[in-house]
Amino acid sequence: MDISSILKKKRSDHKLTQEQLAEKIFVPTKTISNWENNKTTPDIDSLIILAQLFDLSLDNLLLKGSNIVENIKKQADIRSTKMYLNFATITDLACLIYISNPTNFW
C-alpha cells in the first residue's frame, strides 16, 4: 500500500475530511488532496505529524511510501545545485568585471 492510500484510509478511519486534516497539520486542503491522489508526497515535517496523529510508525510510512525518501533526496540535491549555481554566477560576474577593467577592480 502506498502513502496516498494509507493517508486516505487513516483519514477516513478517523472520520476526518480533507479540510479537517489540513487544519490539524497546518497545510492547505489542496495539499491533502494532492497527497491522497499521489500527485505529491508529504515533506518530512508533515510525515512526523501524520505519524503521530494517526498513531503510525514513521518507519512504516517511509518504507511503504518509498517514493517519499527519493523525493526528499531530490529536494536536497536541488538545494545543493542551486547553491552551487548561485556561487558560480557570482564568481563569473566578478571575473567579468575584473577582465573588463582590471586596474579599477581592487
Side-chain angles (χ1 to χ4, degrees):
M1 187 181 288
D2 64 359
I3 189 72
S4 61
S5 301
I6 294 169
L7 292 178
K8 189 180 265 186
K9 180 175 179 351
K10 287 297 185 178
R11 180 180 59 77
S12 176
D13 291 348
H14 282 77
K15 296 179 178 26
L16 294 170
T17 65
Q18 288 182 345
E19 186 175 331
Q20 289 168 327
L21 178 58
E23 288 174 8
K24 285 184 177 287
I25 65 169
F26 311 106
V27 297
T29 304
K30 182 71 176 166
T31 300
I32 303 296
S33 175
N34 286 340
W35 292 344
E36 289 185 359
N37 291 306
N38 215 14
K39 291 181 181 175
T40 60
T41 55
D43 61 13
I44 194 68
D45 293 328
S46 297
L47 280 173
I48 292 168
I49 295 169
L50 289 164
Q52 291 172 339
L53 179 67
F54 294 142
D55 196 28
L56 293 168
S57 160
L58 192 55
D59 290 344
N60 210 6
L61 275 177
L62 291 172
L63 292 175
K64 287 185 178 177
S66 61
N67 58 339
I68 293 173
V69 175
E70 288 304 314
N71 286 346
I72 291 169
K73 288 179 184 177
K74 285 178 187 176
Q75 289 172 356
D77 288 345
I78 289 169
R79 280 193 298 273
S80 172
T81 301
K82 283 181 181 178
M83 286 177 33
Y84 171 78
L85 290 175
N86 287 339
F87 179 75
T89 301
I90 291 168
T91 305
D92 289 347
L93 286 173
C95 289
L96 285 173
I97 292 169
Y98 177 76
I99 290 170
S100 67
N101 198 357
T103 56
N104 292 328
F105 187 71
W106 302 108

